[in-house]
Amino acid sequence: QALPKTLAVALDILDVLTPTQKNRYLQVKMYGKTIREVAEEEGCYINTIEKSIMQAEKKIAKEREKRGY
């Protein structure tokens, strides 16, 4: 069965992210992990995760605007 259009569009928009950005973004936004949890799992600094998610949000916003959403 085909995905609902809004879900298909959302997944398509996420494809503008790097695999690392996409994973971090989904861990925090979809699965509800804290930035601290993601940083601990990856063995990196909290501000690294924060910066990655902020960059992901900018890319998503730009792509949404480009597509008229």
Side-chain angles (χ1 to χ4, degrees):
Q1 186 178 20
L3 292 172
K5 184 176 179 177
T6 50
L7 180 57
V9 169
L11 293 173
D12 194 39
I13 287 173
L14 289 177
D15 284 341
V16 302
L17 304 178
T18 67
T20 300
Q21 286 174 328
K22 188 174 183 178
N23 180 57
R24 290 171 175 169
Y25 183 82
L26 291 175
Q27 290 297 317
V28 172
K29 301 296 183 177
M30 186 171 172
Y31 298 112
K33 289 187 179 180
T34 66
I35 290 172
R36 181 182 301 274
E37 288 172 326
V38 176
E40 288 174 358
E41 289 172 6
E42 292 189 17
C44 63
Y45 294 109
I46 291 171
N47 59 352
T48 301
I49 304 300
E50 289 173 331
K51 183 178 177 185
S52 180
I53 291 174
M54 285 185 352
Q55 289 172 334
E57 289 173 338
K58 285 180 184 177
K59 282 185 178 180
I60 290 168
K62 185 175 180 180
E63 187 67 18
R64 287 182 63 201
E65 185 177 323
K66 180 176 153 185
R67 293 173 183 230
Y69 291 108

